Amino acid sequence: MAHLWTRSDTGEWEAVPADGDLSRLVPGLGPAPADVPDGDLRSVETSVLLRLSGPGAREAWVLLTPPTVHLRVNGAPLHSGIRVLSDRDSLQLTDGSPTYFSTERLAVLEPFPGSPEPVYCPRCRTEIEPGSMAVSCPSCRTWHHQNEEFGCWLYAETCGAMCGQPTALDCGFRWHPGEDL
């Protein structure tokens, strides 16, 4: 799930998730649910984040901004009113507050949703059954078992697909604003 890094009231950076397929950007607060009357995005008076995805495709996040809103992405004005966002893009909202878009995900233990083709765990090399508890690596998105029978995700300190992602379920985000921007 994508999120925006915004400053809290205490000045600390915090990740605010962009829940759902459409979120409006609220200066100083980050994403909030967007109400779109009759599904017509032309009626929205603020900038919105739109999530696009399809079966088997990676999701893409599109920033839509009406002409009345002056917003910058990575320091450049958004003249066209539309931009596909990338991980760690800098957004400067109308109130001047710095905000960063991120696609980084956290490791989550969840039921494996299944796939049209069999999916094999990179650690034990056995098939992951739909509905069994598993973890999708936040970096490479490779599924690993993590249940009473197979503890593959937590077996070692990094992902079994060798992408280097730490496997601790509580390790938090690997990137925060201000780090190697």
Side-chain angles (χ1 to χ4, degrees):
M1 167 188 329
H3 55 276
L4 291 177
W5 285 98
T6 61
R7 293 239 189 230
S8 69
D9 292 339
T10 62
E12 299 293 318
W13 287 105
E14 63 182 2
V16 181
D19 291 330
D21 291 335
L22 187 67
S23 300
R24 69 189 160 87
L25 296 182
V26 180
L29 298 176
D35 295 322
V36 181
D38 301 322
D40 186 359
L41 287 172
R42 292 175 297 181
S43 64
V44 177
E45 296 178 8
T46 63
S47 299
V48 294
L49 285 175
L50 174 65
R51 182 175 70 96
L52 302 174
S53 64
R58 293 222 171 189
E59 67 184 19
W61 288 87
V62 178
L63 175 63
L64 302 169
T65 303
T68 57
V69 175
H70 302 287
L71 183 133
R72 293 180 172 271
V73 178
N74 298 326
L78 190 63
H79 295 298
S80 65
I82 186 169
R83 167 113 180 218
V84 176
L85 294 177
S86 297
D87 188 42
R88 302 181 190 179
D89 272 346
S90 168
L91 309 177
Q92 186 175 9
L93 305 177
T94 54
D95 69 346
S97 61
T99 302
Y100 294 90
F101 173 80
S102 179
T103 57
E104 184 179 357
R105 302 174 335 140
L106 296 175
V108 177
L109 180 62
E110 60 188 329
F112 175 61
S115 172
E117 300 293 322
V119 172
Y120 295 92
C121 175
R123 188 91 60 203
C124 68
R125 311 259 191 253
T126 61
E127 186 175 349
I128 303 175
E129 296 295 327
S132 67
M133 297 306 285
V135 175
S136 172
C137 175
S139 292
C140 69
R141 309 234 170 136
T142 302
W143 284 93
H144 298 67
H145 290 107
Q146 188 56 46
N147 53 46
E148 291 178 11
E149 187 177 2
F150 299 104
C152 301
W153 177 252
L154 294 175
Y155 180 79
E157 290 183 13
T158 58
C159 171
M162 310 276 209
C163 74
Q165 172 70 35
T167 56
L169 290 171
D170 61 353
C171 70
F173 292 108
R174 294 173 76 182
W175 178 82
H176 293 54
E179 295 178 7
D180 66 56
L181 288 174

